[in-house]
Structures are given as structure tokens and as C-alpha cells.
Amino acid sequence: MPLPTPGSRAPVTRDHSGSLLTSTRRSPATKERDTGVRKLNALIRRRVARRARAAVVVVGALTLAACAGVTGERDPGRLQPDPNATIRWAISVPPIQMDPMVAKAELTHITYDTLIFDGLTTVDSNGRISPRLAASWTEAPDRLSWTVTLRTGAVFHDGKPIDARSVAANLGRALQLRDSTPVLANKLSRWSRAEVVDDRTVRIVLDTPDAAVPAELASPNLLIGSPAAFGTMGTQPVGSGPYRFVSRTADRVTYERFDRYWDPGVAKAARVEVLAIPDGAARMNALRAGQIDGTLAQVNLHADIASFRGDPTAQVVEKPTQNVAAMFLNTSRAPLDSVEVRRALNYAVDRQSLSTSLLGGLCRPTSQPFPDGPGHVADLDNAYTHDPARARQLLSVAGRDGAGIDAIFYQAGLSGALAPALQAQLAEAGIDLRLTAMNPNDSRPAFRSGGAPALVEQILPDADPSLTVQSFLRLDNPGGPTSEMSALGQAALDAPIGTAQQEQALRAFNSYLVANPIGVPICAIPNFFVASSRITGVADMPWSTVSGNTDIRGLGKAS
């Protein structure tokens, strides 16, 4: 399939303002009217600002282009959090265990874990890699090590200091778990060991250069816990974050503020409860009933998003992401071992119809796995138009007429909405998609381990595009890459982050994946966070441009 000439997309900023023309006459007869107009102007400006806050941040290395739109009658930024409040936030995934290093899916437990634990680095609300327990980091001239300097004054919840020895113990534990934990194997494939230089300095020694180390250190699987609690971390976690662990049930984790946290302004509530409510409609109803204070609304809940946008007691924060709704394909399983069949699947999907009729137009159709930002090629968004006849032709060429494909999906949420719609569209092209529902903690690991030929889910971005490339080469491509794909991916991994060299390599890798698909990208997914208008900090949550399960540590609740 010929590739279009690579293009580019300029970032777009949308600004909304409102005003009324006022008279400049100052006669006594008009003073009262002018005063009223000024008050009305001020009221309009306040309401417009509240209903249309938006920002676009254009950043280079280690960033995403990010923006947040906030709607709501009250401006959460002007509210004073109550330090004695309890915040209740809901996500779709139940808390299986509490040890971040052994989590099977890298982003699933962010909300549970980042209240208790700090990483050395993090991803801020605009997609930038930012310091947390690390004050700074430096790559060696030979590119075979990174030196990390720790901040001072941080302690674990058991009172022990966070020093180079404890951090090196955590990184050493991650390396020991690497062979048994696919996510760590993917992230740390170039790491050799972690060394203590002095009390505040750790050196990460590499087998081969790894430009993405600062992004890898932000991984939710590399959060730092007390070495004294390594043996019980899954049930009684001891971390270094702004809240300490209190209890866990099958559908709820409870936390309380840790008063010795090194950044005392972060924890604004006395207690936080994270609830697991798998069904999206049930989460929306819980928010309306006041049973929870906030949650993620996926784009299949577009009617609820519109409803909350018009509710003066609620706020809606929209964040663009690099997340793509997609069907992953195991290229080692027949009939998906034929690239013609995989192209046929891409032609069989009507992306525009799915976006418009199923997702309220909130999910932008795309044919590429890099929907925006680094690696994105504008002309590839429409590389596969809806063409069932072309799909049938490709199946015939491959000798796979009437192909049948087994796929797993997560029954709730966006995956649950898309899977049956995809099944109907593929049937029009003579493809029998046989669906099996699974729970969210098991569906992605099952596909990654080769347990299913296809998975209807989302392409998860990461702290840097190079880590997304790693996933395409390893975790999310159980059929394995071709030699050409490996070479293109390696070029993207070797390029210094944020450089023109990296951008060129990412675009070449992305273009190859469109021409030789290992999946079916469908549409680019923004995050919509809905919350009570009493909740502060929703627009500023770390990881919110990456994951729907985000870091809620900075939220507050006004009385």
C-alpha cells in the first residue's frame, strides 16, 4: 500500500471570550445604567472563563501537546479546600493488590498507587517529565549510565529516610522481578544495575544506551516503597507519597494524609477513598447522587458528558491524549499472519460512523497509532477509508475468504461499546469476529501472553513516545516484529529524545505500522474527567494527558 507524503499538523488553540459594548457617556442619567453594564460584563467574563477555560501547551522533548477545557458553574480554582474533607473518586478497575512493581498492566493501578508512592520522576498535567523524588538526572557522555540526584527531606511512611541506598534497593528489586514481570521486562530491557554513589546519588548502569531513562523512571511500576516492607507490599504497602494506606476491600481502597510528606501542600484532604465501579453508567449515577466526587467519563458516555457540562453543580475537564481506540492483532495467529488480512480489517472498519453514531463525535477517526504529537503524519489519518469491497478483495487475494477471528474485550467501558459495533462492521466484509468478554485486569495481559488472537482495547501512550515504540516491538505485539520493523523501532529508541532525529525516526516507524499494520487504529481518545464543582485541582492531575486512571493526589474538596 503506497504511503502518502509525510505532513505535519500545527497545534490549535481555541479561545473563547465575551463582552458587551458600554456607553462612555457619564451623565447622571446614564451612570446607573453603566454601573449595571459593568457588573453584567464582569459576570459574563467570569461565567465564560469558567465554562471555556482552555490551554494548549506546545512542548518539545519528553512532552505531549496538551490542553484542558473546564466547564462548570463554580470555578474550582477559586475554592478553598477543606483540610478535614474526604474525597471519593471512582475508577473502573478493582484493586487486586497494592504492589506497583508486580502489576500486570502498567497504567491500570495509577490512581490506587500514586496516592501512596512517589516515583523518581512523574508525568505532569501537561505531559512533561517532571522531578519527584529525583531532584535532577544526567546522562553520562558515553551514554552508558545515568546519574540521579535525590531531593532531601523525604521519608517513607514508616519514618525511614529515602536515600540512595533505599532507592537502589527498589531499582534492584525491579531488575530482579524483570524476568517474571512483562511490563518491567519491556521498560528495563537495557538496564544492567543500580549503584549507590553517595547518600543522595544513584547511578543507573546500562548495557546499551537508553535515552528514555527519565521517562522509564516515571513508570507506575517503578514507584518507590520502603525496603522494610518489600515482603508485604501487596497487602500492606509502605510508600513515600502524600497519603498512607489504611485499608483495602474488593472494591475500595482508603487512605489518610501523611503529615510528614516532603511537599506539604499536595495532600489537601484528610482522607481519600478510591472506589471500583466497573460500569460507566453506574459511575455517572453515583456522581449525580453524591456518592462519589469525581471519575473518568469515557467517550461512549457522551450523553452524560453533555449533561454534566450543563450542570451548575458539576465540572467537566477535557484533556487530549495520545490514546487510540484500537483492535490489537497477534500476527503469528492465522489468519492474522497475512498482512493482506490485516489491511482488509482496516478497510472494513467505518471509523467515522463509529465516532459519530456511537461516541458522540468525541473520538477523532484515525488510521495511525500515533494520533498527534511526535511521530504523527497528518496524511496518514485517512490512509484506510471505509471500503468493504476492498476488504473482501484483499481477503480473496490472501485466500482467506470468510475469515474467522477470535477476540477478547473488556465488557464495560469503551471496549464494551466498540466490540459489538466492530463485529457488525466486519461481518459486512465477510469477517466473523467472535467475541469473548474478560475483566480489565486480565484482558490485556491475556493478549500480551499470546492467549488471544485479537484484543479490542486502547493503544496506551506512555511518558515518552519511545516507550510506546518499545511496547509495539514487545508487549503489545506478541506475534513479534519483522526485521524491518525492528530496525525502524531501534532507530527511534536510539535517537536522543526531543530531537529532530527522534521525530524523523518516529514518523518512519509510524508510517511502517500504517502500511504494515499490526492492529486496527480506530479513533483518538480524549479524557473527560467529571467531578463535583466542589473538587479543586481536576485540571492539574498528573498523568491526565496519558491515562484515564490518573494521579489524584492534588485534589481538594471545598466545604
Side-chain angles (χ1 to χ4, degrees):
M1 158 181 168
L3 292 174
T5 302
S8 62
R9 172 171 294 180
V12 178
T13 305
R14 293 182 176 87
D15 180 55
H16 304 271
S17 61
S19 63
L20 293 175
L21 295 176
T22 63
S23 170
T24 59
R25 294 175 59 192
R26 303 303 301 156
S27 67
T30 61
K31 286 183 180 179
E32 183 176 354
R33 182 195 67 188
D34 290 349
T35 299
V37 169
R38 285 196 299 273
K39 290 181 179 179
L40 181 59
N41 276 340
L43 177 61
I44 290 173
R45 284 193 295 271
R46 287 196 300 271
R47 287 188 174 179
V48 169
R50 285 194 293 263
R51 292 182 177 275
R53 287 174 55 199
V56 171
V57 181
V58 180
V59 289
L62 302 171
T63 65
L64 301 173
C67 66
V70 183
T71 61
E73 190 65 24
R74 302 172 70 185
D75 183 353
R78 297 177 181 270
L79 300 178
Q80 185 64 36
D82 177 2
N84 298 312
T86 295
I87 294 174
R88 296 178 176 88
W89 191 270
I91 64 175
S92 64
V93 182
I96 301 302
Q97 57 85 39
M98 301 301 297
D99 186 348
M101 284 194 182
V102 300
K104 294 187 290 184
E106 58 270 38
L107 301 182
T108 302
H109 276 216
I110 284 181
T111 307
Y112 292 122
D113 293 343
T114 52
L115 289 165
I116 307 173
F117 300 97
D118 279 338
L120 291 171
T121 63
T122 189
V123 180
D124 70 14
S125 61
N126 293 318
R128 292 183 293 248
I129 298 298
S130 301
R132 192 150 274 175
L133 290 176
S136 63
W137 48 89
T138 306
E139 186 178 27
D142 64 2
R143 303 192 66 199
L144 290 177
S145 68
W146 285 79
T147 299
V148 179
T149 302
L150 305 176
R151 68 173 61 254
T152 58
V155 297
F156 291 109
H157 298 160
D158 59 10
K160 295 180 172 60
I162 300 173
D163 55 15
R165 191 173 302 278
S166 62
V167 168
N170 273 268
L171 299 181
R173 178 176 182 245
L175 288 169
Q176 290 175 350
L177 292 169
R178 179 171 53 183
D179 290 342
S180 60
T181 308
V183 174
L184 290 175
N186 186 56
K187 290 279 199 301
L188 310 183
S189 61
R190 302 184 183 196
W191 289 35
S192 174
R193 62 189 183 276
E195 301 175 340
V196 175
V197 178
D198 58 39
D199 286 347
R200 289 188 58 212
T201 311
V202 176
R203 179 179 296 116
I204 298 167
V205 181
L206 307 171
D207 292 322
T208 58
D210 186 356
V213 165
E216 290 160 353
L217 292 175
S219 168
N221 292 87
L222 286 180
L223 297 172
I224 304 301
S226 172
F230 280 173
T232 58
M233 200 67 76
T235 56
Q236 294 293 324
V238 179
S240 53
Y243 291 88
R244 67 166 74 235
F245 174 79
V246 175
S247 64
R248 173 175 65 95
T249 65
D251 62 358
R252 185 183 309 238
V253 181
T254 302
Y255 313 80
E256 64 183 12
R257 184 172 53 234
F258 177 53
D259 290 329
R260 293 183 63 189
Y261 187 58
W262 59 268
D263 190 356
V266 171
K268 298 177 178 64
R271 289 169 70 87
V272 176
E273 297 178 5
V274 179
L275 290 73
I277 305 177
D279 183 73
R283 291 198 306 276
M284 300 300 102
N285 289 334
L287 180 57
R288 290 187 178 96
Q291 297 168 346
I292 62 173
D293 297 303
T295 187
L296 171 75
Q298 290 184 296
V299 290
N300 57 296
L301 300 172
H302 55 90
D304 294 281
I305 293 169
S307 173
F308 281 115
R309 276 177 161 160
D311 184 344
T313 68
Q315 58 179 305
V316 178
V317 175
E318 178 181 358
K319 287 291 188 82
T321 76
Q322 299 296 295
N323 204 331
V324 179
M327 182 162 64
F328 295 82
L329 306 175
N330 186 333
T331 59
S332 68
R333 303 281 291 270
L336 300 173
D337 53 347
S338 166
V339 70
E340 301 297 341
V341 171
R342 303 196 299 272
R343 289 170 180 159
L345 290 171
N346 276 273
Y347 279 117
V349 173
D350 187 347
R351 295 168 174 82
Q352 186 62 57
S353 174
L354 291 173
S355 175
T356 303
S357 63
L358 191 65
L359 307 176
L362 299 180
C363 195
R364 178 175 56 81
T366 185
S367 297
Q368 58 183 313
F370 290 79
D372 214 336
H376 178 258
V377 180
D379 291 342
L380 295 182
D381 274 332
N382 298 312
Y384 291 98
T385 57
H386 181 223
D387 192 343
R390 175 67 172 148
R392 287 181 179 273
Q393 180 185 25
L394 289 169
L395 291 173
S396 180
V397 169
R400 307 294 175 89
D401 299 277
I405 300 169
D406 293 310
I408 57 176
F409 71 104
Y410 172 34
Q411 193 164 13
L414 179 58
S415 176
L418 279 175
L422 286 172
Q423 184 181 52
Q425 288 189 353
L426 296 183
E428 295 178 7
I431 301 167
D432 180 19
L433 186 65
R434 300 181 290 262
L435 296 172
T436 300
M438 295 188 71
N439 73 66
N441 280 309
D442 293 333
S443 57
R444 190 179 295 270
F447 173 77
R448 286 172 166 176
S449 65
L455 166 69
V456 180
E457 247 286 0
Q458 301 168 29
I459 296 173
L460 297 177
D462 214 312
D464 182 76
S466 60
L467 302 185
T468 307
V469 171
Q470 285 186 11
S471 292
F472 282 131
L473 293 176
R474 298 167 64 96
L475 273 182
D476 291 327
N477 186 12
T482 64
S483 57
E484 185 177 0
M485 180 180 172
S486 291
L488 290 168
Q490 195 61 48
L493 295 176
D494 290 341
I497 289 178
T499 63
Q501 179 186 349
Q502 187 199 37
E503 171 66 19
Q504 183 178 6
L506 288 170
R507 287 161 67 92
F509 182 76
N510 183 27
S511 297
Y512 178 85
L513 287 184
V514 174
N516 305 274
I518 60 172
V520 183
I522 298 169
C523 58
I525 308 168
N527 280 337
F528 290 91
F529 299 101
V530 294
S532 162
S533 59
R534 296 169 58 197
I535 299 299
T536 65
V538 179
D540 302 318
M541 295 185 294
W543 286 94
S544 57
T545 61
V546 178
S547 172
N549 294 330
T550 189
D551 183 344
I552 64 171
R553 62 174 55 205
L555 297 184
K557 184 177 182 179
S559 56

